[in-house]
Amino acid sequence: MVTKETRRIKIKRSIRGKISGTSECPRLTVFRSNKQIYAQLVDDTKGTTLATASSLKIAEKATKKEIAAKVGELIAQNAKEAGIQAVVFDRNGYLYHGRIKELADAARKSGLKF
């Protein structure tokens, strides 16, 4: 039986086979749980994380979509501080919808190029 999680992992493997991040253009990967959302900029050639942002640092009350948008703005700000302008977006097997889309749109608005 195929569950939501196994389906997501299968899509994730397919995506990761096609995209890879470098130090000039890292991979922006997103993970979401039921309560939190996390974003990382990863250099796959060296296997290092260049910048991170998560909803754990946001203390104010808001909807999950609004928090995801704030995380998108945070990751774009952290990327600029690290000297990164362009990234490759890795939705990690999640549908490009809802919180994932909000995070991506906010990161684009804040100056990150996908």
Side-chain angles (χ1 to χ4, degrees), residues 40-66:
Q40 290 184 330
L41 293 177
V42 180
D43 177 2
D44 291 315
T45 56
K46 294 178 186 169
T48 58
T49 301
L50 305 173
T52 62
S54 74
S55 59
L56 294 172
K57 296 179 181 174
I58 299 171
E60 62 192 64
K61 291 277 188 183
T63 65
K64 290 180 182 179
K65 279 187 175 184
E66 291 168 352

Side-chain angles (χ1 to χ4, degrees), residues 32 65 94-102:
R32 69 174 171 84
K65 279 187 175 184
Y94 300 110
L95 296 176
Y96 188 78
H97 178 265
R99 289 192 279 164
I100 304 296
K101 186 175 187 304
E102 288 292 324

Side-chain angles (χ1 to χ4, degrees), residues 21-113:
T22 63
S23 55
E24 296 83 33
C25 187
R27 178 171 53 96
L28 170 59
T29 184
V30 178
F31 175 76
R32 69 174 171 84
S33 67
N34 287 336
K35 293 185 178 184
Q36 309 294 338
I37 190 159
Y38 309 87
Q40 290 184 330
L41 293 177
V42 180
D43 177 2
D44 291 315
T45 56
K46 294 178 186 169
T48 58
T49 301
L50 305 173
T52 62
S54 74
S55 59
L56 294 172
K57 296 179 181 174
I58 299 171
E60 62 192 64
K61 291 277 188 183
T63 65
K64 290 180 182 179
K65 279 187 175 184
E66 291 168 352
I67 289 174
K70 288 185 178 143
V71 171
E73 291 168 7
L74 273 175
I75 195 68
Q77 179 183 348
N78 293 347
K80 283 180 185 174
E81 289 171 7
I84 299 164
Q85 290 92 22
V87 296
V88 177
F89 189 63
D90 177 8
R91 59 188 174 92
N92 217 355
Y94 300 110
L95 296 176
Y96 188 78
H97 178 265
R99 289 192 279 164
I100 304 296
K101 186 175 187 304
E102 288 292 324
L103 188 143
D105 290 343
R108 276 193 194 102
K109 252 186 226 174
S110 297
L112 214 54
K113 292 189 177 30

